[in-house]
Amino acid sequence: MNQFIYKPGEHPDLPPPSNTVGPIAWVRANLLSSPTNIVLSVLSIWFLYEIIPATLEWAFLDAAFTGESRDECRAKAGGACWAFIGERFNLFTYGFYPADERWRIDLTFFLLCLALIPVLWDRCPLRKFGLYFACAFPFIAGWLLLGGFGLTPVDTDEFGGFMLTLVIGVTGISFSLPIGILLALGRQSNLPIVRVFSVGFIEFFRGVPLITLLFVASTMLNYFLPKGTTFDLLLRVLIMVTLFASAYMAEVIRGGLQALPRGQYEAADAMGLKYWTSMRLIILPQALKISIPGIVNTFIGLYKDTTLVIIIGLLDPLGVGRASLADTKWTGLSNEMYLFVAIFFFISCFGMSRYSLYLEKKLATGHER
Amino acid sequence: MNDTPENSNGNSEKEFVIVIRKMHKWYGQFHVLKDINLNVERGEKIVICGPSGSGKSTLIRCINRLEEHQDGEIIVDGTELTNDLKNVEVVRREVGMVFQHFNLFPHLTVLDNCTLAPIWVRKEPREQAEVTAMEYLERVKIPDQASKFPGQLSGGQQQRVAIARSLCMKPRVMLFDEPTSALDPEMIKEVLDVMIELATEGMTMLCVTHEMGFAKTVADRVIFMDEGEIIEQNKPQEFFDNPQHDRTKLFLSQILNH
């Protein structure tokens, strides 16, 4: 390239040298850039070579997909026995919900997906109506799942499996965000009472293990509440999980609020915006955007923590699985069960994580030119 | 001019857009503003200068209550600034402010930055607010950037947007808190040009700035502050050619002779 001489101010933009772009350059830069990197690349490839074929063999090639019991599976193949999951699939999904009423869960799930579209996708057609529907959804879902008003009532004792996970997870997620926002703003408030209450609430719920709260919910509340009050166990769990997650959420959002330059607050004040208007239009949109990774982190944590309800006797997927393993027909298939539950949780959590990345990218304005 | 008669009544206040009497401010134990007396006439252009830490920014931030004063009174366009939030809101609606670091809202487009306050504070319909905003963006010569985000503009362009954003509220008074201090030399001029144009249109302006050229050409009065006090104030010609106070002479010799 040096053979060309340009006059000052007339140097054109030239393409980069060919050995710095393209797939070979990528391999060289990312896999073979240094001796350590070469060793790590070779080790990783060897590790994948060892693990992938064996896993495929166990999970698919040498697996039994049909059969009436573990012994039948074993007779067919030496690998996984997916017949177990197949037979118990409805139990995993619906818990002990009456078989004739399971369409209500299917419908609720369908409506949940429908309600999520306008919430998660800002260019969805008729978004305004979609959001109204999303606000009405919790009431519709409650009616469909619990029954009454024309539907056969179903007791919450019969909730279980993935459906229970979704009920607790979705409720916790959708209530902990607004409560967390209010607590975070309360913690920064100029009003001492509001501030002390927020700090006390956050510190208490963050300082106590969730299991303790769940125990309190299941047993101790009976002592505090007036005799004879019945208070549904699932409802108590929902409240405890939500409050617990709200405390974490509040701290995540406080981080976002504090990361904003003071100038943003001052500019909003100087314009004469009222407190709630400036929070809604200026401070929170930015603070929440900064907090997205932390918020989603809290969501994912909450979602996985729903498995803790097993210790107070609610049957989440793990509870259903453990109960199923106790069946003499299917003993010893814990690998299959745990893998299946793990895949369910992984898909949900991975989905949330991907959505948060998409959101971060979409909301980026101008920091990357 | 800095001597306000004690028995001044409402009549004299009407002539002044801003009246500050015997105002004091403390940060904890630290006495930042000491016995400030200042009357600003409608249409007057005032430049406030002084060494850093002299309280000049704090003074203009008291005028729209970004800072609270503890003693004395500040009356802006007939409204006294007190703990009453209503009064504070009234004053803030009438007083525009331009900051050193622009403080544009990065999550909103340039146009939305300009229409936000008219829509939510003045309750203007969006269409009307957008028409007004475009007018002011044209006046600061960046109408073509209206749909961009602040992060995509240069510093000088951002500061001009910030000026347009304040003007969209049709303020009676504009406060400038070191508007060019964070800008590259090439961009200072484009911002100063906008400010000069604004001054010739008769806007009441209080500028904290180190741009002495701007002070000479535009200001009706230059105020020099040091250690929380107004040391000296005069017409720019007098102020620069014939400073009275030793502290002023020292300051001027330091900023002009290099």
Side-chain angles (χ1 to χ4, degrees):
Chain A
M1 290 284 155
N2 288 341
Q3 63 270 40
F4 298 106
I5 293 169
Y6 303 102
K7 279 185 193 159
E10 289 177 13
H11 203 298
D13 294 337
L14 301 175
S18 58
N19 60 347
T20 58
V21 286
I24 295 173
W26 185 91
V27 168
R28 206 183 281 167
N30 291 286
L31 301 180
L32 309 170
S33 63
S34 71
T36 328
N37 202 344
I38 293 172
V39 172
L40 286 176
S41 299
V42 169
L43 281 178
S44 308
I45 291 165
W46 172 76
F47 181 72
L48 292 176
Y49 169 75
E50 287 289 309
I51 206 166
I52 290 177
T55 311
L56 287 177
E57 175 89 18
W58 179 82
F60 299 106
L61 302 176
D62 195 20
F65 293 91
T66 52
E68 289 300 309
S69 71
R70 179 173 184 255
D71 298 334
E72 267 185 51
C73 278
R74 285 283 170 272
K76 283 185 190 164
C81 174
W82 296 119
F84 163 55
I85 303 297
E87 198 206 75
R88 298 284 166 146
F89 189 78
N90 280 342
L91 195 61
F92 271 113
T93 313
Y94 302 109
F96 300 98
Y97 211 81
D100 292 344
E101 305 291 335
R102 284 178 183 169
W103 61 272
R104 280 154 55 178
I105 296 180
D106 295 336
L107 180 59
T108 311
F109 184 72
F110 173 72
L111 292 178
L112 170 70
C113 298
L114 212 59
L116 281 179
I117 293 173
V119 175
L120 300 181
W121 183 32
D122 63 343
R123 284 195 209 134
C124 138
L126 300 173
R127 184 163 192 237
K128 206 169 156 198
F129 299 101
L131 289 177
Y132 288 139
F133 172 67
C135 294
F137 172 76
F139 302 98
I140 302 172
W143 171 60
L144 278 173
L145 294 179
L146 293 169
F149 303 104
L151 292 174
T152 324
V154 177
D155 202 78
T156 53
D157 295 349
E158 289 165 296
F159 285 23
F162 297 137
M163 168 255 186
L164 181 68
T165 303
L166 280 174
V167 167
I168 301 175
V170 172
T171 314
I173 285 172
S174 39
F175 286 95
S176 64
L177 185 60
I179 298 177
I181 291 173
L182 290 180
L183 285 171
L185 292 177
R187 192 165 186 162
Q188 295 204 321
S189 168
N190 293 326
L191 310 170
I193 295 177
V194 174
R195 195 169 56 234
V196 166
F197 171 80
S198 305
V199 172
F201 182 99
I202 292 168
E203 296 301 341
F204 174 77
F205 277 97
R206 231 164 36 126
V208 175
L210 181 56
I211 292 189
T212 322
L213 292 174
L214 291 175
F215 267 121
V216 169
S218 77
T219 57
M220 301 246 312
L221 273 185
N222 286 343
Y223 295 106
F224 301 137
L225 293 170
K227 279 233 165 69
T229 3
T230 52
F231 195 175
D232 188 81
L233 177 61
L234 180 62
L235 182 59
R236 295 186 220 168
V237 167
L238 287 178
I239 292 173
M240 286 302 183
V241 168
T242 305
L243 296 183
F244 184 77
S246 307
Y248 277 90
M249 195 60 75
E251 287 298 276
V252 167
I253 293 168
R254 181 168 72 102
L257 289 172
Q258 287 178 345
L260 282 194
R262 254 187 65 185
Q264 294 290 311
Y265 293 86
E266 287 178 351
D269 284 347
M271 287 179 164
L273 291 176
K274 290 195 165 63
Y275 176 79
W276 287 108
T277 318
S278 74
M279 287 300 137
R280 189 162 60 84
L281 297 175
I282 293 165
I283 305 303
L284 283 175
Q286 296 185 63
L288 292 179
K289 187 179 107 186
I290 301 173
S291 318
I292 288 173
I295 291 175
V296 174
N297 201 18
T298 312
F299 282 167
I300 289 176
L302 177 153
Y303 193 74
K304 291 190 296 182
D305 278 352
T306 57
T307 51
L308 290 175
V309 297
I310 193 174
I311 60 147
I312 57 166
L314 295 182
L315 286 181
D316 78 312
L318 283 180
V320 170
R322 298 246 308 253
S324 306
L325 288 176
D327 185 339
T328 45
K329 273 202 311 188
W330 300 110
T331 44
L333 294 175
S334 46
N335 285 346
E336 285 84 343
M337 188 279 276
Y338 282 114
L339 190 66
F340 174 63
V341 175
I343 288 171
F344 165 76
F345 275 99
F346 179 78
I347 290 173
S348 319
C349 296
F350 189 66
M352 287 192 244
S353 160
R354 286 282 114 180
Y355 179 73
S356 89
L357 287 181
Y358 154 78
L359 207 55
E360 275 177 64
K361 261 200 198 133
K362 199 189 73 175
L363 296 178
T365 55
H367 296 294
E368 318 92 314
R369 299 224 164 160
Chain B
M1 183 160 277
N2 58 346
D3 266 350
T4 316
E6 274 304 313
N7 56 356
S8 67
N9 52 23
N11 278 345
S12 73
E13 277 167 25
K14 269 183 192 160
E15 297 162 22
F16 297 118
V17 191
I18 299 172
V19 177
I20 300 176
R21 277 194 214 111
K22 300 194 166 178
M23 191 264 277
H24 291 260
K25 173 169 178 60
W26 288 264
Y27 283 132
Q29 291 293 314
F30 180 53
H31 200 167
V32 258
L33 292 177
K34 300 166 187 164
D35 193 29
I36 303 291
N37 290 286
L38 179 68
N39 291 338
V40 182
E41 285 174 38
R42 202 172 290 285
E44 197 176 6
K45 270 68 77 180
I46 294 182
V47 163
I48 304 171
C49 58
S52 63
S54 59
K56 42 193 199 311
S57 287
T58 312
L59 171 60
I60 69 165
R61 288 160 60 88
C62 282
I63 293 171
N64 66 353
R65 197 71 166 185
L66 286 183
E67 305 281 353
E68 230 171 273
H69 60 284
Q70 279 90 24
D71 199 10
E73 49 185 8
I74 301 177
I75 300 164
V76 181
D77 211 26
T79 310
E80 185 177 357
L81 283 168
T82 57
N83 280 328
D84 190 347
L85 275 179
K86 282 247 164 58
N87 286 2
V88 175
E89 278 168 20
V90 169
V91 168
R92 283 176 176 170
R93 237 177 282 157
E94 304 305 332
V95 177
M97 186 162 202
V98 174
F99 298 88
Q100 182 178 2
H101 296 290
F102 331 133
N103 296 353
L104 294 176
F105 304 130
H107 63 300
L108 300 176
T109 61
V110 164
L111 188 63
D112 287 339
N113 264 280
C114 293
T115 56
L116 188 114
I119 291 174
W120 291 95
V121 181
R122 291 239 190 266
K123 313 284 178 203
E124 282 179 26
R126 175 174 290 276
E127 295 74 33
Q128 187 193 327
E130 283 180 358
V131 171
T132 319
M134 285 311 293
E135 273 169 31
Y136 282 110
L137 285 174
E138 239 150 77
R139 273 184 40 189
V140 300
K141 300 177 188 69
I142 32 178
D144 45 324
Q145 314 280 10
S147 57
K148 285 196 184 169
F149 287 98
Q152 297 165 309
L153 305 186
S154 74
Q157 290 173 324
Q158 290 193 45
Q159 193 61 298
R160 285 184 283 152
V161 172
I163 294 172
R165 176 175 76 173
S166 291
L167 292 176
C168 284
M169 283 292 279
K170 310 232 164 75
R172 310 256 169 102
V173 180
M174 285 287 284
L175 307 174
F176 291 85
D177 188 1
E178 304 204 22
T180 55
S181 304
L183 295 176
D184 292 339
E186 281 180 318
M187 295 167 182
I188 291 177
K189 187 177 174 298
E190 61 187 53
V191 171
L192 287 181
D193 285 347
V194 169
M195 289 170 65
I196 290 168
E197 199 187 315
L198 197 58
T200 53
E201 285 164 19
M203 175 64 78
T204 311
M205 294 164 71
L206 274 83
C207 312
V208 172
T209 183
H210 300 294
E211 295 297 328
M212 291 304 135
F214 175 78
K216 279 178 193 165
T217 50
V218 170
D220 297 316
R221 190 165 24 142
V222 180
I223 290 178
F224 175 70
M225 289 184 71
D226 190 30
E227 302 197 343
E229 286 181 271
I230 294 181
I231 303 284
E232 187 169 344
Q233 47 181 321
N234 217 327
K235 291 199 163 61
Q237 185 79 35
E238 294 286 302
F239 179 84
F240 289 108
D241 295 349
N242 190 15
Q244 303 295 312
H245 201 278
D246 287 344
R247 188 67 192 83
T248 320
K249 288 175 190 161
L250 178 66
F251 176 75
L252 287 177
S253 73
Q254 279 167 341
I255 60 166
L256 296 176
N257 301 334
H258 57 82

